[in-house]
Amino acid sequence: MCGIFGYIGKNNAKEKLIEGLENLEYRGYDSSGVAIVQNGQIHIVKKAGKVCVLKDELLQSDLDGHCGIAHTRWATHGLPTELNAHPHTDSKNQLCLVHNGIIENYISLKKEFNLTTKTQSDTEVIAELIAKIKEKDNLEKIKKACSFLKGSYALAVIFENEPDAIYLAKKESPLMTTYGEDGIYISSDANAFKKYANNFYILKNNEFAKIKNNDIEFYNKNSKINKKLNNFEKTFSFENKNEFLMQDEIMQTPDALKETALFFENFKNLKNYFDNIDNIYLIGCGTAYHSCLLGKKYLEFLNIPIFSEIASEFRYSNVKPSKKSLCIFVSQSGETADTIACIKKCNCKTLAITNVPNSSITFNCKKTILMKAGWERAVASTKAYCCQLLVFYLIKCLLKNEKPKWKQLVSSCKKYLKKNNIKDISKKVLNFEKIMFIGRQEDYVTAMESSLKLKEISYINCIACPSGELKHGTLALVDENTLVVLISTKSSLHNKNLLSKQEIEARKGCCFVASNIINSEIELPNLNSDLMPIMSILPFQLLACEVCISKGYNPDKPRNLSKSVTVE
Ligand code: F6R
């Protein structure tokens, strides 16, 4: 959530910052801003709205400097206005800074230090606080100020009295820096500067950096430290072929699945990690939680208790995994705050399933299975969800000593994405006020994920319901303005599902069926039942995307949302 970018080097900082912000816009796009040092003076430009608004303004300005910091915001405290956008300054303009994270005690800090602020943002309090610290040295000022902060932060700071330096501080929110080919780069996501560097440094909690004279010095609370460089994971690059990233990312699913399956060979030694456990907790948020629900189905054969948990709930529940539990954390970004908070509650075996190497989740878990879905930037998770399910399927095959049949899955997905009728279906969907997705067992989870996808990018009020639960309440919603999408991929349950269709039609609701069993509105290829949920979500990812685009919205940047939810 929120993106930080910084550059100090021989080239034009303005262009670097614009490019960086465009790369990071998936993390937030309410407002954005830059601070650029020109002739020793800090100049700030901020704008409400998407990065393109700021870009237009910057391109027209004659700002010209070699050092700057930038931020794209997802509002937590205060409206997404120009005033609340970062960078923030102290009242005497001694410094400016950009911040990711949340300062939980900003109200009490204001009282304690008698700080006055002009914005509604928690970030401005950090600027005021640093300015108030008496230490002469800028690094010491930051260190001291950070010792009062509660919550999470990644900070990049420029001081008026030292305009050729950028200072960094980090706790919980990600922050990276690197020597690039033409200067030093800073970002909250290393992918944003990957083009210019071969490796990079990751700041750990309570670490600081001073970037000056083409040199990066790292510090912890007490002293200067040496840090090791991290390499970028080799990942295959995908081409952008469509207008929107989400369209590209759905189309990349077959390749993402193939790469993930091939890379899974590296994790076969994790088989023993499943020995001597009493139970399994599967923990994630949103789409990743849906993967956990299906993960439970894949692992049920183990015949031990398996619990799928929503991270934001589990972190506050009284349940604590025992020493003989295995906790599996699923997160595309590896940075989801609620999921990370749950890891800290576990004193047992912990395993991350993530798409992002060197992410917070990989540092906090004892073991990691890395997926190879490639960079996912559209806010709605698509190819990563399919890869998460594939990983659970591959774990099942590994534990059962069965040969996985992922090649079949890849070719079916490829064929389906090439030829399907979702464009036509999407036109019909637009005629309904209410949409419901129903199904049983694995298909119910697909219904939940389909409903989430559609609502999050097309803003249609839709719900998911287990088919058998309809008549226990939800059927009351069905009338001639309701479309119910029935997902039916399990032949043993198909006749039961058809009863639900009749119940809906008897109430004048319209029912579309998605099935591999009978001729239906959405025809699915026939696959082994373990592979079916990985494939059967594709029509609904496509559907959400089509509906969104025909309503004139941008699927990559749905309102109110952001990729990588690094705050609670
Ligand atoms: C929905 C979506 C979100 C994420 C959730 C967890 O399309 O993408 O629900 O799945 O915010 O994110 P990660 O997987 O990064 O932990």
Side-chain angles (χ1 to χ4, degrees):
M1 252 165 192
C2 299
I4 287 180
F5 198 81
Y7 173 77
I8 177 161
K10 55 184 184 208
N11 277 327
N12 184 307
K14 179 166 81 179
E15 281 157 25
K16 297 284 181 188
L17 298 183
I18 294 173
E19 185 188 48
L21 286 181
E22 284 177 335
N23 276 331
L24 291 172
E25 201 175 7
Y26 72 95
R27 298 177 77 95
Y29 33 83
D30 290 341
S31 53
S32 54
V34 298
I36 294 175
V37 177
Q38 184 171 9
N39 302 326
Q41 300 275 314
I42 303 172
H43 298 263
I44 293 181
V45 183
K46 312 202 276 194
K47 284 279 157 203
K50 299 207 164 77
V51 167
C52 57
V53 183
L54 176 76
K55 180 178 178 179
D56 286 349
E57 175 87 9
L58 286 175
L59 291 180
Q60 280 170 32
S61 84
D62 46 16
L63 253 184
D64 185 14
H66 299 274
C67 168
I69 52 177
H71 188 266
T72 176
R73 178 169 185 246
W74 184 86
T76 56
H77 294 74
L79 294 171
T81 57
E82 192 167 312
L83 182 68
N84 287 331
H86 301 210
H88 284 282
T89 57
D90 66 297
S91 51
K92 293 186 184 147
N93 290 325
Q94 296 171 48
L95 63 105
C96 74
L97 58 82
V98 291
H99 165 224
N100 285 358
I102 288 187
I103 302 307
E104 289 164 8
N105 60 338
Y106 79 105
I107 295 178
S108 58
L109 285 174
K110 268 173 92 164
K111 280 195 202 126
E112 191 183 336
F113 289 89
N114 197 18
L115 308 174
T116 43
T117 52
K118 50 196 179 298
T119 75
Q120 300 155 305
S121 159
D122 55 333
T123 299
E124 194 188 355
V125 168
I126 315 175
E128 283 296 336
L129 186 61
I130 298 175
K132 201 128 197 175
I133 303 285
K134 293 275 179 289
E135 258 77 359
K136 284 224 166 65
D137 180 74
N138 287 332
L139 179 66
E140 293 309 315
K141 274 184 195 289
I142 294 180
K143 280 189 185 179
K144 183 94 186 256
C146 286
S147 70
F148 296 111
L149 302 180
K150 292 210 169 86
S152 55
Y153 51 81
L155 293 172
V157 192
I158 302 182
F159 289 87
E160 196 213 9
N161 66 0
E162 198 182 5
D164 53 347
I166 302 177
Y167 287 88
L168 309 180
K170 126 105 193 183
K171 188 175 160 218
E172 305 302 345
S173 294
L175 194 57
M176 288 128 212
T177 181
T178 188
Y179 291 100
E181 57 197 32
D182 56 353
I184 293 172
Y185 291 79
I186 298 152
S187 181
S188 38
D189 179 347
N191 281 307
F193 54 54
K194 190 172 179 184
K195 196 168 136 186
Y196 302 105
N198 299 321
N199 41 33
F200 59 100
Y201 297 100
I202 302 172
L203 274 84
K204 294 207 176 123
N205 282 346
N206 304 312
E207 287 184 350
F208 304 86
K210 175 179 179 178
I211 301 173
K212 192 172 177 175
N213 300 330
N214 205 22
D215 191 25
I216 312 173
E217 291 173 353
F218 293 99
Y219 299 85
N220 62 20
K221 281 181 192 163
N222 307 315
S223 56
K224 200 168 167 188
I225 52 171
N226 288 321
K227 283 184 72 71
K228 41 175 224 318
L229 277 163
N230 297 271
N231 288 323
F232 286 101
E233 276 285 329
K234 278 203 187 79
T235 179
F236 61 121
S237 53
F238 293 109
E239 275 178 68
N240 290 76
K241 295 185 179 153
N242 296 284
E243 187 182 354
F244 296 108
L245 289 170
M246 184 172 174
Q247 293 171 308
D248 283 329
E249 288 170 6
I250 296 172
M251 298 310 283
Q252 289 158 7
T253 303
D255 287 333
L257 289 169
K258 181 177 156 199
E259 295 294 324
T260 297
L262 292 172
F263 200 62
F264 186 79
E265 292 296 310
N266 296 305
F267 305 111
K268 285 196 156 163
N269 56 354
L270 284 179
K271 192 172 177 189
N272 298 343
Y273 209 51
F274 287 77
D275 290 345
N276 293 320
I277 50 171
D278 285 349
N279 50 48
I280 301 179
Y281 286 84
L282 305 171
I283 301 161
C285 296
T287 291
Y289 167 65
H290 295 157
S291 301
C292 294
L293 290 172
L294 283 168
K296 174 172 154 69
K297 305 244 176 237
Y298 285 111
L299 299 180
E300 255 163 5
F301 76 95
L302 288 170
N303 227 355
I304 54 173
I306 303 179
F307 310 98
S308 305
E309 301 284 348
I310 296 174
S312 56
E313 287 292 307
F314 190 66
R315 66 184 288 184
Y316 296 116
S317 90
N318 294 328
V319 174
K320 202 171 171 341
S322 72
K323 284 212 165 102
K324 288 191 90 182
S325 300
L326 164 63
C327 291
I328 304 184
F329 298 89
V330 183
S331 173
Q332 186 285 131
S333 64
E335 298 294 349
T336 301
D338 284 319
T339 310
I340 293 165
C342 293
I343 309 176
K344 296 184 176 156
K345 181 174 163 161
C346 300
N347 184 17
C348 58
K349 291 180 176 175
T350 52
L351 170 66
I353 298 178
T354 184
N355 196 32
V356 182
N358 298 312
S359 51
S360 303
I361 230 158
T362 64
F363 291 130
N364 283 290
C365 282
K366 292 173 185 146
K367 306 275 177 194
T368 295
I369 294 180
L370 199 58
M371 311 185 316
K372 284 278 172 180
W375 199 9
E376 193 183 68
R377 279 191 293 167
V379 165
S381 185
T382 55
K383 58 178 178 173
Y385 173 70
C386 296
C387 290
Q388 287 161 358
L389 302 188
L390 176 67
V391 168
F392 278 117
Y393 165 69
L394 294 171
I395 293 175
K396 174 177 177 176
C397 295
L398 176 69
L399 298 179
K400 290 184 86 174
N401 291 321
E402 284 175 1
K403 192 172 171 344
K405 300 192 174 110
W406 58 266
K407 286 188 183 154
Q408 216 178 318
L409 170 72
V410 170
S411 71
S412 289
C413 291
K414 216 178 247 172
K415 266 192 220 145
Y416 186 81
L417 289 171
K418 230 180 220 165
K419 196 167 180 292
N420 60 70
N421 63 342
I422 295 302
K423 247 201 171 100
D424 296 338
I425 296 282
S426 72
K427 289 186 192 126
K428 295 181 187 157
V429 165
L430 287 167
N431 298 329
F432 293 92
E433 270 171 24
K434 288 173 279 185
I435 301 186
M436 242 178 240
F437 291 89
I438 64 169
R440 286 170 193 263
Q441 297 293 314
E442 286 83 347
D443 292 337
Y444 169 52
V445 183
T446 307
M448 292 167 81
E449 174 59 9
S450 305
S451 164
L452 177 65
K453 280 295 92 99
L454 188 60
K455 76 174 75 129
E456 78 173 306
I457 59 170
S458 72
Y459 321 138
I460 294 177
N461 197 342
C462 49
I463 56 167
C465 181
S467 310
E469 275 290 291
L470 268 184
K471 52 185 165 303
H472 298 290
T474 309
L475 197 58
L477 290 176
V478 173
D479 59 16
E480 63 277 17
N481 298 316
T482 316
L483 170 66
V484 181
V485 181
L486 165 65
I487 306 167
S488 181
T489 69
K490 296 175 89 70
S491 37
S492 58
L493 296 172
H494 187 62
N495 287 339
K496 302 268 179 210
N497 281 333
L498 292 183
L499 290 179
S500 307
K501 180 172 158 63
Q502 281 162 18
E503 286 164 8
I504 293 152
E505 288 171 346
R507 273 86 190 172
K508 300 202 177 123
C510 175
C511 185
F512 285 179
V513 179
S515 183
N516 52 332
I517 300 161
I518 48 161
N519 289 344
S520 48
E521 283 79 5
I522 300 172
E523 296 211 348
L524 302 172
N526 214 356
L527 277 169
N528 146 344
S529 61
D530 273 342
L531 299 175
M532 209 61 213
I534 312 177
M535 189 281 139
S536 59
I537 189 60
L538 291 182
F540 304 109
Q541 295 172 342
L542 289 171
L543 183 72
C545 201
E546 283 295 335
V547 171
C548 164
I549 295 169
S550 32
K551 288 182 84 176
Y553 303 132
N554 178 342
D556 298 342
K557 300 188 179 97
R559 71 181 179 209
N560 307 341
L561 300 179
S562 145
K563 191 102 181 148
S564 193
V565 186
T566 53
V567 295
E568 188 175 357

